[in-house]
């Protein structure tokens, strides 16, 4: 029996990818042809945004459709960072969608020399803990380097989001809406973190974090 990770037929998912991609682009969370989105299908395949595509101007009919081996079935050639998505999905069978952006504040945090590589952003708010949790930093690799996928694979089983050094976040969710919301929460918390640097802010206590994680599991 297949695990139903979403409730929508493929055409609806294509429209949802286009609508949410445009929303992210219009609000400045991604720019140019940066960023990519994928959704896992019930048959084990994927829908994925094409290479060199602008998330603000996606054509639903041209979104890449891959089989469960990652082979292109229809649509344009998938993003050259498709291996990042595949690595996350391999370790997270419960995840139904992934969003990868080059969002400004998250990238800024990834460039700082003194962030905790095991947890880049402290637990400043409840919603950050609920939607993102601990955010490990993935060491820098040149874009397209397959070794980056191997590094992400080593972290994805324990983390629904990772931050690529000097690059941007990769965020998984139980469905596309959840992945987008988590990515937005990460970006807003990164902005908040940068605003508070040097101010010795009061974060949530370990006990408060544990209570949130127990009551609001991400996926």
């Amino acid at each position: 029996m297949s695990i139903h990770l979403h409730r929508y037929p493929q055409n609806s998912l294509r429209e949802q990818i286009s609508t949410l991609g445009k929303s992210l682009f219009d609000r400045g969370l991604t720019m140019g042809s940066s960023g990519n989105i994928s959704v896992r299908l019930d048959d084990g395949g994927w829908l994925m945004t094409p290479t060199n595509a602008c998330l603000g101007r996606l054509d639903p009919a041209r979104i890449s459709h891959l089989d469960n081996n990652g082979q292109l079935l229809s649509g344009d050639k998938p993003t050259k960072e498709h291996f990042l998505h595949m690595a996350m999905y391999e370790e997270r069978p419960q995840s139904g969608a992934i969003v990868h952006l080059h969002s400004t504040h998250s990238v800024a945090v990834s460039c700082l020399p003194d962030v905790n590589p095991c947890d880049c952003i402290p637990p400043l708010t409840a919603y950050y803990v609920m939607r993102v949790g601990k955010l490990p930093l993935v060491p820098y690799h040149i874009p397209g380097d397959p070794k980056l996928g191997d590094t992400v694979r080593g972290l994805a089983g324990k983390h629904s989001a990772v931050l690529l050094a000097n690059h941007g976040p990769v965020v998984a969710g139980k469905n596309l809406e959840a992945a987008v919301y988590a990515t937005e929460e990460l970006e807003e918390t990164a902005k908040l973190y940068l605003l508070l640097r040097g101010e010795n802010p009061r974060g949530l206590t370990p006990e408060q974090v544990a209570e949130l994680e127990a009551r609001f599991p991400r996926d």
Side-chain angles (χ1 to χ4, degrees), residues 71-84:
Q71 298 299 309
L72 182 64
L73 296 175
S74 64
D76 292 345
K77 184 178 179 180
T79 169
K80 64 179 178 293
E81 295 179 314
H82 66 279
F83 62 90
L84 287 176

Side-chain angles (χ1 to χ4, degrees), residues 166-184:
N166 304 81
H167 190 158
V170 184
V171 182
K174 63 182 179 180
N175 54 43
L176 183 53
E177 242 181 20
V180 168
Y181 290 161
T183 307
E184 292 171 334

Side-chain angles (χ1 to χ4, degrees), residues 36 47 49-50 116 187 208:
N36 31 79
L47 292 177
T49 52
N116 180 353
E187 175 65 6
Q208 289 168 332

Side-chain angles (χ1 to χ4, degrees), residues 139-156:
Y140 174 78
H141 292 72
I142 190 170
D145 184 349
K147 292 180 182 177
L148 181 57
D150 295 335
T151 306
V152 167
R153 189 176 291 107
L155 295 168

Side-chain angles (χ1 to χ4, degrees), residues 80-199:
K80 64 179 178 293
E81 295 179 314
H82 66 279
F83 62 90
L84 287 176
H85 297 251
M86 310 292 276
M88 290 284 281
Y89 285 123
E90 284 176 25
E91 298 298 316
R92 303 191 63 78
Q94 72 275 36
S95 294
I98 290 170
V99 176
H100 166 49
L101 299 181
H102 300 175
S103 41
T104 302
H105 297 93
S106 298
V107 175
V109 171
S110 83
C111 297
L112 294 174
D114 57 349
V115 295
N116 180 353
C118 297
D119 194 7
C120 298
I121 300 175
L124 294 172
T125 69
Y127 278 93
Y128 178 75
V129 173
M130 291 158 57
R131 290 180 172 160
V132 180
K134 287 190 175 182
L135 181 70
L137 183 70
V138 177
Y140 174 78
H141 292 72
I142 190 170
D145 184 349
K147 292 180 182 177
L148 181 57
D150 295 335
T151 306
V152 167
R153 189 176 291 107
L155 295 168
K158 296 181 179 179
H159 303 278
S160 61
V162 299
L163 186 60
L164 311 181
N166 304 81
H167 190 158
V170 184
V171 182
K174 63 182 179 180
N175 54 43
L176 183 53
E177 242 181 20
V180 168
Y181 290 161
T183 307
E184 292 171 334
E185 194 68 39
L186 195 165
E187 175 65 6
E188 285 303 303
T189 310
K191 182 178 180 180
L192 184 63
Y193 173 64
L194 292 169
L195 286 170
L196 291 171
R197 274 174 64 83
E199 297 295 333

